[in-house]
Amino acid sequence: ETGVTQTPRHLVMGMTNKKSLKCEQHLGHNAMYWYKQSAKKPLELMFVYNFKEQTENNSVPSRFSPECPNSSHLFLHLHTLQPEDSALYLCASSQDLQGNTDTQYFGPGTRLTVL
Amino acid sequence: LAKTTQPISMDSYEGQEVNITCSHNNIATNDYITWYQQFPSQGPRFIIQGYKTKVTNEVASLFIPADRKSSTLSLPRVSLSDTAVYYCLVGDMGGGSTLGRLYFGRGTQLTVWP
C-alpha cells in the first residue's frame, strides 16, 4: 500500500546529530499521527495533528519536535537523541478526529538507530 | 481511558478458526471497538470495527455481547500469513481527547503453525 509513505526507511545517527523524519499521505486525510514502537514494548502515541493543528503531545521529550506544514505532510525533527530513542517510528493518518468510524492508516515506519 | 486486556499470545494451526477475546470492562457508551493487525517492522493495519452485536467483513468477524464489556475477533481458517500481533482498541471516535482510542496496548501475538 502506498497511501502513507515515510522516508527514510532506515536511519542511523549519533547523539549530536540533527535529522528529520518525513511522512506523506495521499489519502486526503486531515489528521496525522506519530507513534514510537520500541522493541518488545507497546506502540506509543507521540503527537496528533488535526487540520495542521497539534491536538495531542503525549509527554514527549523536547528533543523530538513535530511539524505539520499542511494536512498531507508531517515531519519529526530529531536532535540530541539518546540511544534509548532507537525504535521504529510510525506515521499514520485518518480522515479527521470527529468521525465515529475513524480508521488509521499507517506508513511502513522509519527504523531509527541512535549510536 | 478505556483499558483493554488481551491474551499475550496464542497458537493455532493452519485451517483452524481463531478467536481472540478482548476485555474492556469500563467501556463507555460512545466507545467503538477496533481491531488492528501488525506484522514485524510494519505499521498496524485496520481489520474490523464494531459497536455492538456482530460485524463481518471479508477478513474477520467481530462478536460483541450485549453488555459490551468484551469483544471477540474471529479469524476463519487461518494461514501461516496470519501470524501477527492483533490489537484491540476501545475509544470514543467522536472527537475529544484522542488518547483513549489510540492506546494500542501489547496486543496478542498469534502464531500459526503448519
Side-chain angles (χ1 to χ4, degrees):
Chain A
E1 296 184 14
T2 58
V4 180
T5 58
Q6 290 187 242
T7 54
R9 294 294 309 277
H10 300 272
L11 178 63
V12 179
M13 59 186 290
M15 290 190 287
T16 58
N17 292 158
K18 290 184 179 180
K19 297 287 184 182
S20 295
L21 309 184
K22 178 182 177 182
C23 175
E24 183 174 0
Q25 57 94 3
H26 311 274
L27 302 170
H29 290 165
N30 296 302
M32 296 189 77
Y33 314 78
W34 278 117
Y35 287 87
K36 173 185 177 182
Q37 189 168 38
S38 304
K40 300 182 179 179
K41 287 187 177 180
L43 208 60
E44 300 174 57
L45 178 68
M46 299 175 73
F47 302 102
V48 180
Y49 278 81
N50 194 38
F51 292 93
K52 301 188 298 179
E53 297 297 320
Q54 186 180 125
T55 60
E56 298 285 355
N57 176 339
N58 197 17
S59 303
V60 180
S62 59
R63 57 186 184 269
F64 295 92
S65 176
E67 179 189 0
C68 188
N70 54 62
S71 292
S72 299
H73 294 85
L74 185 64
F75 295 88
L76 187 62
H77 304 300
L78 316 171
H79 65 96
T80 324
L81 293 193
Q82 305 298 314
E84 58 265 29
D85 296 321
S86 299
L88 180 68
Y89 288 84
L90 290 160
C91 173
S93 71
S94 67
Q95 185 59 50
D96 53 44
L97 300 182
Q98 301 303 316
N100 282 330
T101 57
D102 207 21
T103 299
Q104 292 183 75
Y105 294 81
F106 283 81
T110 295
R111 174 69 62 185
L112 174 67
T113 302
V114 181
L115 301 178
Chain B
L1 180 60
K3 184 178 178 180
T4 61
T5 302
Q6 304 174 233
I8 295 175
S9 63
M10 294 182 68
D11 291 286
S12 181
Y13 291 97
E14 282 189 294
Q16 291 187 333
E17 178 184 75
V18 171
N19 296 307
I20 305 174
T21 297
C22 178
S23 297
H24 27 80
N25 292 318
N26 59 342
I27 189 169
T29 302
N30 294 332
D31 286 347
Y32 279 70
I33 301 157
T34 310
W35 286 79
Y36 285 82
Q37 173 193 58
Q38 185 180 24
F39 298 112
S41 296
Q42 295 185 25
R45 184 182 70 160
F46 171 85
I47 299 177
I48 197 166
Q49 183 181 74
Y51 182 77
K52 61 180 179 180
T53 64
K54 176 184 175 182
V55 180
T56 298
N57 61 23
E58 64 277 7
V59 176
S61 294
L62 179 59
F63 298 91
I64 306 169
D67 65 6
R68 304 201 325 122
K69 293 184 182 298
S70 67
S71 59
T72 299
L73 174 73
S74 181
L75 305 172
R77 298 180 298 281
V78 294
S79 64
L80 296 177
S81 63
D82 292 316
T83 294
V85 178
Y86 292 82
Y87 297 96
C88 164
L89 278 73
V90 172
D92 184 359
M93 311 301 287
S97 173
T98 57
L99 294 180
R101 66 179 174 86
L102 299 176
Y103 176 71
F104 276 76
R106 291 187 175 276
T108 298
Q109 171 66 59
L110 171 66
T111 302
V112 180
W113 301 95

